[in-house]
Amino acid sequence: MIDIKGLNKWFGKHQVLHDIEFHVDENEVVVIIGSSGSGKSTLLRCINFLEKHQEGTIQLGGKTITTKTKNLHLVRQEVGMVFQHFNLFPHKTVLENVMEGLTQVKKVPFAEAKEQGLLLLDKVNMQDKADIYPAMISGGQKQRVAIARALAMNPKIMLFDEPTSALDPELVGEVLKVMKNLAEDGMTMVVVTHEMGFAREVADRIVYMDEGRIVEEGTPEEIFNHPVNARTKEFISQIL
């Protein structure tokens, strides 16, 4: 589903990604871990073309994608993204937020979009809040709506950029539960997170990044219990 070779990214003179080689298979859940500033979020944003890389190739579904790719917006619809800060439209209800992409981008008729929107809200256990505005719900509920909104585009891949880091601790579990359900349904997912319990339980593979490089990758068992690289060992010892 994702195949990245030789990816390099600079912000000005500062190189933030170094020769990234990264792949994700269909139905695979890959969790990226590492300290703040290690390049995890930048890698996700390059996959979704929210950031432009300077060197290397990105393939999505076997097609090489660049910023010059014809109909890039259609390609990006296949890659859903959930951010740390929910980015909901405050002036639209929960249901309207989920319907927005369906009606405005996919041109789905209103009645059909409403029906799909309610089904997606049900999927994230938010159907009872359909007519409420984002200001009236908790952070965990907002993030679940954001997940439903991303799913509305029927993406082939879901990217999660620290989806629980802005939440109060008691609200984290409800978002992780939705993500676990998606994984069980076979959704291809790349997750940047500090939630090591989730990583251990749900990930097929864990990638450890440090200073813009992929240092080590393996199964949760390998990374948490038998890390090979000295930097991985140090990171794991600090967080567990």
Side-chain angles (χ1 to χ4, degrees), residues 44-82:
L44 277 198
R45 292 173 71 85
C46 285
I47 293 171
N48 201 27
F49 290 87
L50 291 172
E51 293 288 353
K52 185 178 178 182
H53 62 282
Q54 284 88 359
E55 293 177 358
T57 60
I58 297 176
Q59 285 192 338
L60 299 176
K63 299 176 191 167
T64 300
I65 309 299
T66 71
T67 51
K68 296 186 177 70
T69 295
K70 191 176 179 183
N71 296 329
L72 178 61
H73 66 288
L74 296 178
V75 176
R76 288 181 63 187
Q77 285 179 29
E78 297 183 352
V79 184
M81 183 119 178
V82 176

Side-chain angles (χ1 to χ4, degrees), residues 6-54:
L7 192 74
N8 289 294
K9 165 72 183 166
W10 286 263
F11 288 121
K13 293 183 178 178
H14 177 56
Q15 189 169 359
V16 289
L17 294 177
H18 299 260
D19 297 319
I20 297 293
E21 306 279 327
F22 180 73
H23 73 277
V24 180
D25 292 327
E26 191 170 359
N27 309 126
E28 190 178 23
V29 178
V30 177
V31 171
I32 305 176
I33 62 173
S35 304
S36 295
S38 58
K40 309 182 301 295
S41 294
T42 302
L43 175 56
L44 277 198
R45 292 173 71 85
C46 285
I47 293 171
N48 201 27
F49 290 87
L50 291 172
E51 293 288 353
K52 185 178 178 182
H53 62 282
Q54 284 88 359

